Amino acid sequence: MAETTARMPMRIAHLYPDLLNLYGDRGNVLALVRRLRLRGFPVEVVQVGAGDPFDPAAFDLAFLGGGQDYEQAILMDDLMRHKAGAIREGVDAGLVFLCICGGFQLMGRSYRTWEGRELRFLGALDLWTVGGRKRLIGNTAYRSGVLAEAGADPWIAGFENHSGRTYLGPGVTPLAEVVRGSGNNGEDGTEGAVHRNVFCTYSHGSVLPKNPAFADLLLSRAVARRYPDAGPLAPLDDAFEAKAREAVFRRLRVERD
Amino acid sequence: MPSRARIRTRTAVALGAAVLRFLRLVGKGATTLPGKAALAVDPGLLQALAADVPVACVTGTNGKTTTTRMLCAILRGRGRTVVTNRSGANLATGLATTLIESRKRLPDPKAVVVLEVDEAAFRRVAGPLAPRAAVVTNLFRDQLDRYGELATTLRFLSEGLDACGATLVANADDSLAASLGRGREDRALYFGFEPGAMLPPDAVRATEATHCLSCGAAYVYAARTYGHLGDFACPSCGWRRPAPSVTLRGILAESPTGSRAVLACGDEALEAHVPVPGRYNLYNALAAVSAAVALGEPFAEAVRLLPDTDVGFGRMELIQADDRRIRLVLVKNPAGFDQAVDFLTSADDVGGAVFALNDGIADGTDVSWIWDADLERLAARDRVPVRVGASGTRAADMALRLSYAGVPGDRIETDPDAHALVKRMLAACPPGSCLYVLPTYTAMLALRARLAAEFGLAGFWE
Ligand SMILES: [Zn+2]
């Protein structure tokens, strides 16, 4: 791939890396970087923290993870006052986003705490979250219609740990249906949300390392935006990835089609 | 005539003791069941048993067991009769078991009780135990599925401190642990590194506790040691690292068998030998010496007696396996994992390494924390152990993490059976070298039990 060495680096914005970095979120950024580099794309990760400007046009991918309540509260002011407009602009322009757990909730319209307090969130996606008392914790298995439609392996193995219950409006599509675990709210069988190039999930930590098809869906969208003539991504040796996935499906006794 | 409460306590102790005798008879560790049975009969048992004896509690995320053992060594060396939960069972049931088992030694005027206490359990046992000293070693992210978040853990500890009058012995370099001293200045004793003995602030990657607990501004560090520990200050509200009274002034030497360092208290500065390797154990030594001082022991004696510590099982434990060695290094969270990897990459006797990752309740059912550990350093060229094993109930996750860290795929050996993998890799280690085994808690317990049987180690409750 001689021509790729002359390419400009693919740029990934890691939003609030020192505040939203719970549950191994770092693994997802490592997966994006690794899978691009193995295919010959240079990559640059830019940490965009509180007080830093965020220009969505300067990036190919943006990552928003989850944080502890205390740390999430710290960034709310900066997020709503200085980044909300840019994030919504990026969503409309087709920038690829991965938003996990707290990041997923932040992209929605609002969050009603369990005491009944209503917090306004980014409003970039048609979804909202209600605080719950009991945390939904455990290994998960999902089947993703979005991945199936893209011709990829539709199965996602993950781990969820959240107290918020998220509900989807008609403006977004679920990322997947829940086969094991609770998913968005433990009621309607949906997991995550997709809108344009924004991908949200409650599956945190190593969701991208363990689910290479999901990682590649995000990357192919980002690469196609930047290099419309790049063609499909080259396949990689995912032997370790496959074993880590299989172990979760086996443990959950999931029969896959 | 004995009161009704005393009769209940006696009944409870008798029941607990009977359960203990029976379980030991059948060869079980019996570290929690006797206490559980006794507490069911008399919920006021801890208070009744600990009423007339000085108690010290050691809590915090990392280093509880090692600090407890160091403090015990110091107090024993001072001629005290030490009662401690050596098994590491650190919930109320384990503490009750310890006190029941040692009940005949408690009336000894030289008796002192040193207990490692779980962070969440501290809230409920601090009142009944009425400790004179309560050590908080540090607070790192740990088993979030259990406690929710660090703010919750801080609240638990704060409630425990309010329920007793203990001197708080806290890590000054840890903004979270140190915050417990706010409003308790009259009974706080801090320990920490002197900034001159720390690393430059940009030499350490820290992702936890980056922002001020009071006002939310980002902390500024003049120097750091590891994780979020260091000389922190909030530029907005002025909250900063409190000045510690027991300090580490400088590190003289570090080796696989331990460290030599200069510890200071007031105008006394002494050379200390810390008999366990690893920088985090220097913090544990500071914590133990400070706790001894809080209990009224002379600083110089505490420092002198540190080398008598026998290390907790599975924590840097060295097992002689014929002409090779096995080093067990317990890991349970990213900060501890980073320290263990530092230790591994600086050792010069590495014959191989095994990472055993379980996802039991005691390990944390969520294993994604391995992605927060900086394992990439492991694969820095010429530092990779020849062969690397991935094991435990989440062996495949561990193998994937190692492959991401840059360990070549053909050097990663995966086997969920940790004992089988350790035996196989030990046989492949060059004679005279050491197999480093980094297990999570339940993986360590299971593995150590097998190795104990083969190499004649003591049972973990002994
Ligand atoms: Zn402040």
Side-chain angles (χ1 to χ4, degrees):
Chain A
M1 286 204 275
E3 85 276 20
T4 58
T5 51
R7 280 174 173 160
M8 294 287 288
M10 295 288 290
R11 299 186 87 229
I12 300 173
H14 189 175
L15 292 158
Y16 302 103
D18 56 348
L19 290 166
L20 299 179
N21 56 11
L22 214 46
Y23 310 123
D25 279 341
R26 179 167 172 260
N28 294 313
V29 178
L30 291 177
L32 294 170
V33 171
R34 174 182 164 99
R35 301 185 72 79
L36 281 170
R37 290 216 172 117
L38 285 172
R39 289 162 169 136
F41 292 94
V43 189
E44 194 184 330
V45 178
V46 179
Q47 311 215 323
V48 182
D52 298 335
F54 174 54
D55 172 13
F59 293 99
D60 302 295
L61 266 154
F63 176 71
L64 194 60
Q68 309 188 65
D69 291 350
Y70 170 71
E71 295 172 332
Q72 216 155 298
I74 288 178
L75 65 84
M76 278 315 287
D77 182 61
D78 182 81
L79 181 73
M80 297 306 287
R81 282 226 303 236
H82 304 298
K83 303 216 172 49
I87 288 174
R88 286 193 293 260
E89 240 170 69
V91 172
D92 291 340
L95 177 63
V96 179
F97 278 85
L98 175 63
C99 311
I100 294 188
C101 207
F104 174 15
Q105 299 170 354
L106 286 170
M107 291 298 268
R109 291 202 298 259
S110 62
Y111 186 103
R112 195 167 75 237
T113 66
W114 148 201
E115 294 91 355
R117 213 152 46 93
E118 188 92 7
L119 305 173
R120 201 167 60 85
F121 277 4
L122 287 167
L125 263 58
D126 182 18
L127 54 93
W128 63 94
T129 304
V130 179
R133 217 169 173 170
K134 195 173 157 287
R135 288 190 87 81
L136 309 172
I137 305 176
N139 291 298
T140 55
Y142 317 123
R143 194 182 184 288
S144 167
V146 177
L147 281 171
E149 218 170 280
D153 179 349
W155 289 90
I156 296 176
F159 193 98
E160 63 184 343
N161 183 353
H162 55 107
S163 56
R165 272 71 166 159
T166 296
Y167 299 89
L168 309 183
V172 295
T173 315
L175 169 70
E177 62 184 81
V178 178
V179 178
R180 293 286 187 277
S182 299
N184 287 339
N185 47 49
E187 297 161 24
D188 62 16
T190 64
E191 159 57 27
V194 179
H195 169 67
R196 299 180 66 98
N197 280 338
V198 184
F199 297 83
C200 303
T201 178
Y202 267 119
S203 200
H204 59 70
S206 51
V207 67
L208 290 192
K210 258 205 309 246
N211 297 283
F214 185 23
D216 283 354
L217 178 63
L218 270 63
L219 292 176
S220 61
R221 297 268 185 105
V223 168
R225 260 183 100 229
R226 174 74 85 90
Y227 301 107
D229 56 348
L233 296 174
L236 300 176
D237 172 10
D238 289 327
F240 283 106
E241 284 80 351
K243 281 184 193 137
R245 287 160 60 70
E246 291 308 316
V248 176
F249 294 133
R250 216 168 32 241
R251 157 102 60 120
L252 295 174
R253 297 171 196 281
V254 173
E255 302 256 340
R256 275 165 295 161
D257 41 66
Chain B
M1 208 175 82
S3 70
R4 189 173 286 183
R6 287 202 45 195
I7 292 171
R8 187 182 303 135
T9 302
R10 272 193 215 165
T11 313
V13 169
L15 173 67
V19 173
L20 184 70
R21 264 196 312 278
F22 171 74
L23 290 172
R24 286 286 153 82
L25 209 60
V26 298
K28 301 274 195 223
T31 57
T32 59
L33 278 183
K36 193 173 180 183
L39 281 170
V41 174
D42 180 11
L45 182 74
L46 290 176
Q47 188 162 12
L49 286 173
D52 301 314
V53 57
V55 175
C57 292
V58 179
T59 187
T61 316
N62 288 353
K64 285 189 288 285
T65 303
T66 305
T67 301
T68 300
R69 296 216 164 183
M70 287 173 166
L71 179 56
C72 288
I74 293 168
L75 295 171
R76 254 183 230 116
R78 295 290 295 158
R80 308 291 294 265
T81 300
V82 178
V83 169
T84 186
N85 51 337
R86 202 174 152 78
S87 67
N90 60 15
L91 304 177
T93 50
L95 307 183
T97 303
T98 298
L99 295 180
I100 290 167
E101 185 174 13
S102 307
R103 65 196 177 281
K104 297 199 174 104
R105 292 155 69 211
L106 293 174
D108 183 335
K110 289 199 199 120
V112 59
V113 177
V114 182
L115 297 170
E116 163 188 340
V117 183
D118 170 83
E119 301 91 284
F122 181 72
R123 173 176 54 152
R124 285 186 303 272
V125 302
L129 290 173
R132 298 203 183 165
V135 182
V136 180
T137 56
N138 51 53
L139 287 169
F140 286 102
R141 275 187 201 156
D142 191 23
Q143 300 178 26
L144 280 147
D145 47 334
R146 215 170 118 214
Y147 300 139
E149 28 183 283
L150 281 167
T152 312
T153 310
L154 267 179
R155 190 164 44 82
F156 288 163
L157 294 177
S158 195
E159 285 173 20
L161 288 168
D162 285 341
C164 68
T167 299
L168 166 68
V169 178
N171 191 332
D173 301 346
D174 176 348
S175 56
L176 297 165
S179 74
L180 290 166
R182 305 185 79 183
R184 300 189 178 95
E185 285 81 1
D186 51 329
R187 56 167 170 136
L189 172 70
Y190 289 108
F191 61 88
F193 277 39
E194 291 183 16
M198 295 182 183
L199 301 168
D202 54 358
V204 178
R205 185 185 68 96
T207 54
E208 300 179 28
T210 50
H211 288 65
C212 178
L213 274 172
S214 307
C215 74
Y219 287 127
V220 174
Y221 282 78
R224 291 179 184 270
T225 52
Y226 75 93
H228 64 276
L229 310 190
D231 185 8
F232 64 90
C234 171
S236 170
C237 74
W239 153 244
R240 58 183 307 136
R241 167 184 178 265
S245 19
V246 178
T247 63
L248 182 139
R249 194 162 279 179
I251 300 168
L252 303 173
E254 293 176 283
S255 81
T257 55
S259 313
R260 282 190 304 120
V262 177
L263 303 192
C265 178
D267 47 15
E268 251 181 313
L270 296 164
E271 188 179 325
H273 178 240
V274 180
V276 234
R279 200 149 284 197
Y280 53 99
N281 281 316
L282 293 171
Y283 270 110
N284 294 334
L286 279 172
V289 167
S290 305
V293 169
L295 292 171
E297 302 298 338
F299 169 70
E301 284 296 287
V303 172
R304 182 180 70 81
L305 291 163
L306 269 179
D308 294 354
T309 308
D310 85 276
V311 184
F313 68 105
R315 277 107 181 151
M316 292 284 180
E317 189 175 25
L318 197 58
I319 298 167
Q320 193 65 43
D322 303 321
D323 58 349
R324 297 171 176 86
R325 294 180 300 282
I326 300 170
R327 172 83 77 173
L328 289 179
V329 188
L330 174 71
V331 292
K332 48 181 192 170
N333 48 35
F337 211 155
D338 282 354
Q339 289 287 297
V341 167
D342 261 359
F343 177 65
L344 172 65
T345 53
S346 60
D348 52 12
D349 61 348
V350 181
V354 175
F355 298 82
L357 178 67
N358 275 8
D359 64 351
I361 303 278
D363 306 290
T365 54
D366 178 5
V367 296
S368 43
W369 59 273
I370 59 173
W371 293 90
D372 289 326
D374 199 6
L375 298 193
E376 280 64 25
R377 282 178 304 174
L378 186 73
R381 197 174 286 280
D382 79 335
R383 285 285 166 82
V384 186
V386 186
R387 297 167 77 220
V388 179
S391 189
T393 52
R394 301 301 290 241
D397 283 84
M398 195 65 235
L400 178 61
R401 180 70 189 94
L402 290 167
S403 120
Y404 259 72
V407 181
D410 56 5
R411 289 205 203 156
I412 302 172
E413 197 167 330
T414 311
D415 186 344
D417 183 341
H419 179 255
L421 184 59
V422 163
K423 290 304 290 280
R424 214 161 52 236
M425 290 195 50
L426 186 67
C429 283
S433 72
C434 181
L435 179 67
Y436 284 72
V437 182
L438 283 66
T440 58
Y441 190 71
T442 66
M444 189 271 288
L445 283 187
L447 179 61
R448 195 188 179 282
R450 300 287 300 272
L451 296 175
E454 286 166 20
F455 300 108
L457 308 175
F460 69 88
W461 61 90
E462 291 166 59

